[in-house]
């Protein structure tokens, strides 16, 4: 029997049992749609996160306290609850003298309640220097950023995020010139940041408070070390070169001779992008793997229905064999039916997935996160079609073999 | 020309060490163009005999040659090919695919035929359907036809590959006498056109449409006799 005739017979069989065909396909439709949706949304989330990191600036290098183990990256010591005090003012001074570095910005961070009148909000405050604003592309929309003199003079001044300004002061009070209380210390608001959105690590940058690092270290945290140092590379030098210079300056400064024993970690934007890219890819694949369980369930559903179909059509199989169909002809016909079912299920699943992904994009980009991009990876579509067709082959083979092995005499006698 | 040659054919069925002999040594020949009725009571072995003659089963003893070629020398694929090319089947219960049209039902053997171009199928199907007088029902759903019409579709399906021999297993068993007469008339016409007809029946008056009757009893041939004056008219059928 020609494949084309088998195909036509399969189409006829499916057409004559429309309801059953649709219900049989449902498992595959849901499975494929789930895989498509999760892979697409995962891709969008990955793009979104990476864009956020890229938005920080490509010449930015981060120095994090705590080292790596045998050169392998591990989560920063601070993230594990370990206080590492290795980043100090000497490092900032030494790095500032390096010609391949344009700017060095130390940073300390903590949490406190920001209070104005009866309003208060728990915020993340960051103590930093005046060059933080140009290095991190933070613009002050109202007022001015604090200056190097403010930092040197331990002035109690603060620049606050736009959301925080709205929460504390409402629409009618100009925050600039008002006093807020942080850890029972009064700060005069000198500026309000332009809206910035969510930053790397999912921090809402519009809720933060920036204060002079001198005040934060001595009066709020009581520390002399830094939580992080931002380094802005001189554009005349390659980032990798600047990174290696930072490492050697820091090692020299800290008296470290074995790089494996570094008490700091230097990360470029590229390092972070590749790390985040890896993490989000693994997460996306993990989600897709979970979704693919429903594909297996759908495939078993198809096998089940095909087995019922083989039993119901026993006399048909007997007749076809009596008039000349070989085992291979019968196997081919039933296998094509199963593959056609799963392939159609795959196509419908892709379409359904596309609709849901588009709706998710509309909602997420307008309501949840500006900058959420639409992603519909072709690899997901290709995988979906291949997997669904493979499901047809895998789960259709057993029923098709059962059909092919039927004896024509027994099949013709079947009631 | 000898079409079918059976020598000492035996068929045993084994079920949990219990051997049942359905055929216990049968011999006969059938020439091309013969109209032979095989008759016998239920359990006599006539159905087993026809299943083997039509290559749906194999004997467990003796020999069976079809156009000189032994069934023992053919594999299952070759048997399927011979069934498709040389044999037509008409069953008591029609065995039509009820949701398919008359056209699609009659076309089925052609789907498995070698050397029949797809373009020739339409004419072959239309010719076969016309020969049983159902051309106006070509695109009707088979399940909606009357019993007599269904059997005529089954005959068209048996004819479409232009086989040498047509096996008709109780073809009138599910029909009223009028429809039965029509079917027997069609089989008689096909025989006159040169097809060998092997008719299995337990009804003596239907068997007498043939020119020869082989009676089977307990797996053996009880008698093999020519019919002096075959019933060849519709009027005869009602007698």
């Amino acid at each position: 029997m020609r494949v084309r005739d088998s195909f036509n017979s399969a189409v006829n069989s499916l057409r004559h049992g429309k309801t059953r065909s649709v219900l049989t396909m449902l498992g595959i439709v849901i499975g494929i749609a789930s895989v498509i949706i999760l892979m697409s949304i995962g891709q969008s989330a990955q793009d979104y996160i990476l864009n956020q990191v890229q938005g920080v600036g490509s010449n930015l290098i981060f120095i994090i306290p705590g080292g790596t183990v045998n050169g392998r990256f591990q989560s920063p010591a601070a993230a594990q609850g370990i206080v590492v005090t290795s980043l100090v003012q000497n490092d900032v001074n030494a790095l500032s003298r390096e010609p391949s570095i344009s700017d060095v910005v130390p940073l300390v961070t903590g949490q406190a309640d920001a209070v104005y009148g009866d309003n208060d909000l728990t915020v993340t405050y960051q103590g930093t220097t005046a060059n933080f604003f140009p290095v991190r592309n933070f613009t002050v929309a109202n007022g001015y950023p604090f200056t190097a003199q403010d930092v040197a003079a331990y002035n109690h001044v603060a620049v606050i995020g736009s959301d925080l300004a709205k929460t504390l002061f409402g629409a009618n009070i100009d925050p600039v010139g008002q006093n807020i209380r942080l850890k029972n210390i009064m700060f005069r608001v000198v500026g309000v940041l332009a809206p910035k959105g969510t930053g790397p690590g999912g921090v809402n940058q519009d809720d933060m408070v920036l204060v002079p690092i001198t005040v934060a270290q001595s009066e709020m945290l009581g520390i002399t070390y830094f939580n992080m140092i931002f380094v802005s590379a001189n554009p005349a030098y390659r980032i990798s070169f600047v990174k290696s210079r930072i490492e050697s300056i820091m090692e020299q400064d800290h008296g470290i001779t074995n790089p494996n024993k570094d008490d700091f970690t230097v990360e470029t934007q590229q390092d972070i992008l590749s790390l985040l890219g890896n993490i989000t890819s693994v997460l996306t694949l993990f989600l897709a793997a979970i979704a693919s369980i429903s594909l297996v369930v759908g495939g078993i559903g198809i096998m089940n229905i095909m087995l019922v179909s083989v039993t119901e059509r026993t006399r048909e199989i007997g007749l076809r064999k009596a008039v000349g169909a070989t085992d291979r002809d019968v196997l081919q016909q039933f296998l094509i039916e199963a593959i056609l079912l799963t392939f159609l299920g795959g196509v419908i699943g892709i379409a359904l997935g596309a609709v849901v992904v588009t709706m998710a994009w509309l909602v997420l980009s307008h309501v949840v996160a500006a900058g959420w991009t639409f992603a519909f990876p072709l690899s997901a579509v290709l995988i979906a079609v291949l997997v669904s067709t493979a499901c047809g082959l895998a789960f259709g083979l057993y029923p098709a073999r059962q059909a092919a092995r039927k004896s024509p005499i027994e099949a013709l006698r079947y009631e | 020309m000898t079409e079918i040659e059976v020598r000492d054919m035996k068929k045993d069925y084994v079920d949990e060490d219990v051997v049942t002999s359905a055929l216990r040594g049968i011999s006969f020949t059938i020439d091309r163009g013969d109209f032979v009725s095989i008759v016998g009571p239920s359990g006599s072995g006539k159905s087993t005999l026809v299943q083997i003659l039509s290559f749906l089963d194999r004997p467990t003893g003796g020999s069976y040659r079809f156009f000189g070629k032994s069934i023992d020398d053919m594999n299952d694929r070759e048997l399927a090919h011979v069934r498709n090319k040389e044999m037509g089947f008409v069953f008591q219960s029609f065995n039509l695919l009820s949701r398919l049209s008359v056209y699609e039902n009659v076309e089925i053997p052609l789907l498995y035929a070698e050397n029949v171009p797809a373009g020739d199928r339409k004419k072959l199907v239309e010719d076969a359907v016309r020969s049983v007088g159902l051309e106006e029902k070509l695109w009707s759903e088979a399940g909606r036809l009357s019993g007599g019409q269904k059997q005529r579709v089954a005959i068209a399906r048996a004819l479409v590959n232009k086989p040498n021999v047509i096996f008709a297993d109780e073809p009138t068993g599910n029909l009223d006498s009028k429809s039965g007469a029509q079917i027997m008339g069609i089989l008689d016409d096909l025989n006159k056109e040169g097809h060998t007809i092997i008719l299995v029946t337990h009804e003596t008056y239907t068997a007498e449409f043939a020119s020869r009757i082989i009676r089977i009893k307990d797996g053996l041939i009880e008698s093999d006799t020519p019919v002096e004056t075959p019933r060849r008219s519709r009027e005869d059928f009602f007698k």
Side-chain angles (χ1 to χ4, degrees):
Chain A
M1 191 182 196
R2 298 173 187 90
V3 174
R4 193 179 152 192
D5 291 325
S6 290
F7 181 82
N8 289 339
S9 290
V11 170
N12 261 338
S13 295
L14 299 181
R15 206 183 61 207
H16 288 307
K18 281 191 203 89
T19 313
R20 167 187 283 193
S21 303
V22 169
L23 289 175
T24 309
M25 275 191 284
L26 210 53
I28 292 290
V29 170
I30 292 170
I32 291 291
S34 308
V35 171
I36 291 274
I37 290 165
L38 287 175
M39 285 188 77
S40 299
I41 291 181
Q43 178 73 54
S44 292
Q46 184 174 31
D47 293 349
Y48 179 72
I49 292 167
L50 298 184
N51 279 338
Q52 294 294 324
V53 175
Q54 280 170 331
V56 167
S58 61
N59 64 338
L60 207 59
I61 299 171
F62 309 82
I63 307 173
I64 305 159
T68 54
V69 175
N70 296 327
R72 272 191 303 125
F73 183 83
Q74 64 171 18
S75 56
Q80 299 176 45
I82 302 164
V83 177
V84 182
T85 59
S86 57
L87 303 182
V88 291
Q89 186 60 39
N90 272 351
D91 300 326
V92 174
N93 298 341
L95 291 169
S96 300
R97 290 192 290 273
E98 166 62 28
S100 64
I101 291 173
S102 301
D103 260 313
V104 182
V105 181
L107 186 89
V108 293
T109 186
Q111 281 204 322
D113 285 343
V115 183
Y116 174 78
D118 291 337
N119 299 335
D120 71 294
L121 186 72
T122 303
V123 296
T124 300
Y125 63 86
Q126 296 192 330
T128 185
T129 53
N131 52 356
F132 173 89
F133 297 94
V135 167
R136 290 292 313 273
N137 293 326
F138 275 58
T139 22
V140 175
N142 179 15
Y144 65 92
F146 54 76
T147 62
Q149 286 78 6
D150 288 324
V151 176
Y154 289 68
N155 285 341
H156 288 184
V157 290
V159 174
I160 62 174
S162 54
D163 284 354
L164 180 62
K166 277 181 211 147
T167 310
L168 290 182
F169 301 102
N172 300 324
I173 301 171
D174 182 2
V176 176
Q178 305 293 332
N179 286 322
I180 60 168
R181 213 167 61 237
L182 276 175
K183 282 202 155 186
N184 285 326
I185 301 167
M186 297 300 280
F187 285 86
R188 185 163 53 85
V189 177
V190 293
V192 178
L193 292 168
K196 189 89 173 161
T198 309
V203 179
N204 180 3
Q205 299 178 111
D206 297 330
D207 257 355
M208 62 165 56
V209 178
L210 296 166
V211 298
I213 193 164
T214 47
V215 179
Q217 277 188 306
S218 62
E219 297 179 31
M220 300 172 81
L221 293 162
I223 57 173
T224 54
Y225 57 87
F226 306 127
N227 297 128
M228 189 189 277
I229 298 174
F230 292 113
V231 173
S232 173
N234 185 334
Y237 295 85
R238 285 209 324 262
I239 290 285
S240 55
F241 171 76
V242 181
K243 182 183 176 184
S244 67
R245 285 299 300 144
I246 293 170
E247 282 167 345
S248 56
I249 290 167
M250 295 281 291
E251 281 162 6
Q252 199 179 352
D253 210 35
H254 292 198
I256 296 168
T257 48
N258 180 358
N260 285 335
K261 303 225 164 155
D262 280 354
D263 56 2
F264 60 90
T265 305
V266 182
E267 295 288 341
T268 63
Q269 188 202 61
Q270 203 50 51
D271 295 334
I272 295 172
L273 283 177
S274 110
L275 178 73
L276 285 175
N278 285 343
I279 293 171
T280 49
S281 296
V282 168
L283 279 177
T284 305
L285 279 177
F286 176 66
L287 290 174
I290 291 174
S292 62
I293 292 172
S294 58
L295 260 183
V296 175
V297 176
I300 292 169
I302 288 211
M303 182 159 71
N304 197 9
I305 298 290
M306 289 300 294
L307 279 172
V308 173
S309 175
V310 167
T311 306
E312 279 185 357
R313 289 159 65 188
T314 298
R315 284 179 75 94
E316 175 188 335
I317 294 164
L319 169 79
R320 286 184 186 272
K321 285 194 150 187
V323 300
T326 58
D327 289 1
R328 195 182 150 183
D329 290 327
V330 176
L331 181 100
Q332 181 175 290
Q333 186 188 337
F334 277 86
L335 207 51
I336 286 178
E337 269 183 44
I339 292 173
L340 201 61
L341 267 177
T342 49
F343 177 78
L344 277 177
V347 170
I348 296 171
I350 289 168
L352 181 68
V355 170
V356 174
V357 168
T358 308
M359 284 165 61
W361 169 65
L362 285 171
V363 171
L364 288 169
S365 62
H366 289 93
V367 180
V368 182
W372 185 273
T373 54
F374 178 80
F376 195 68
L378 279 179
S379 58
V381 175
L382 200 65
I383 289 171
V385 171
L386 284 178
V387 167
S388 61
T389 309
C391 267
L393 253 176
F395 293 106
L397 194 60
Y398 177 67
R401 283 172 67 96
Q402 295 291 102
R405 283 175 179 171
K406 281 192 186 294
S407 138
I409 298 170
E410 297 297 324
L412 282 168
R413 270 195 212 133
Y414 185 82
E415 293 295 338
Chain B
M1 182 185 184
T2 302
E3 187 166 359
I4 287 171
E5 185 185 351
V6 173
R7 289 278 168 264
D8 196 26
M9 184 192 280
K10 297 186 179 73
K11 179 69 181 179
D12 294 334
Y13 293 103
V14 182
D15 186 19
E16 292 179 356
D17 298 334
V18 179
V19 180
T20 309
S21 295
L23 298 176
R24 296 189 292 154
I26 280 180
S27 302
F28 60 86
T29 59
I30 294 174
D31 289 339
R32 190 168 184 176
D34 276 359
F35 190 151
V36 179
S37 286
I38 298 174
V39 295
S42 181
S44 60
K46 62 183 189 300
S47 291
T48 302
L49 174 61
V50 171
Q51 281 161 8
I52 294 172
L53 293 183
S54 60
F55 281 8
L56 291 171
D57 204 354
R58 290 175 185 269
T60 49
S63 71
Y64 169 32
R65 304 180 86 84
F66 184 79
F67 279 111
K69 191 163 185 191
S70 170
I71 191 170
D72 295 333
D73 297 337
M74 289 187 261
N75 60 28
D76 287 349
R77 195 179 168 79
E78 286 170 315
L79 294 185
H81 178 68
V82 174
R83 279 202 303 273
N84 178 260
K85 195 168 180 287
E86 308 285 355
M87 299 172 179
F89 295 86
V90 181
F91 303 95
Q92 180 177 359
S93 53
F94 323 128
N95 279 324
L96 299 181
L97 306 187
S98 57
R99 286 184 169 183
L100 299 189
S101 67
V102 168
Y103 181 96
E104 289 166 321
N105 269 285
V106 175
E107 191 190 25
I108 290 172
L110 295 175
L111 299 177
Y112 304 104
E114 291 169 10
N115 307 323
V116 178
D120 293 353
R121 284 190 207 156
K122 188 166 182 285
K123 187 177 180 309
L124 288 168
V125 172
E126 285 172 352
D127 287 350
V129 173
R130 194 178 302 117
S131 71
V132 295
L134 280 178
E135 55 268 41
E136 77 284 3
K137 298 281 185 188
L138 193 62
W139 296 105
S140 301
E141 204 173 279
R144 294 180 184 278
L145 302 178
S146 68
Q149 288 172 326
K150 282 179 182 168
Q151 198 57 297
R152 280 149 72 189
V153 174
I155 292 175
R157 183 182 61 198
L159 286 177
V160 73
N161 261 358
K162 302 189 183 303
N164 276 307
V165 54
I166 293 173
F167 293 93
D169 188 357
E170 306 275 10
T172 59
N174 280 353
L175 302 177
D176 58 70
S177 55
K178 188 180 166 192
S179 301
Q182 281 179 335
I183 296 303
M184 292 313 299
I186 292 170
L187 290 176
D188 187 42
D189 290 343
L190 290 172
N191 179 239
K192 283 176 186 149
E193 287 167 20
H195 295 279
T196 306
I197 309 287
I198 297 178
L199 173 72
V200 179
T201 183
H202 65 278
E203 296 162 342
T204 307
Y205 55 86
T206 307
E208 287 177 353
F209 264 76
S211 50
R212 177 181 164 197
I213 298 177
I214 299 175
R215 290 182 192 280
I216 308 279
K217 191 177 178 188
D218 297 333
L220 291 168
I221 293 179
E222 190 182 46
S223 65
D224 183 350
T225 51
V227 179
E228 294 301 333
T229 318
R231 298 177 191 274
R232 289 289 165 89
S233 71
R234 190 166 171 267
E235 290 69 34
D236 283 343
F237 195 84
F238 289 114
K239 283 178 186 171

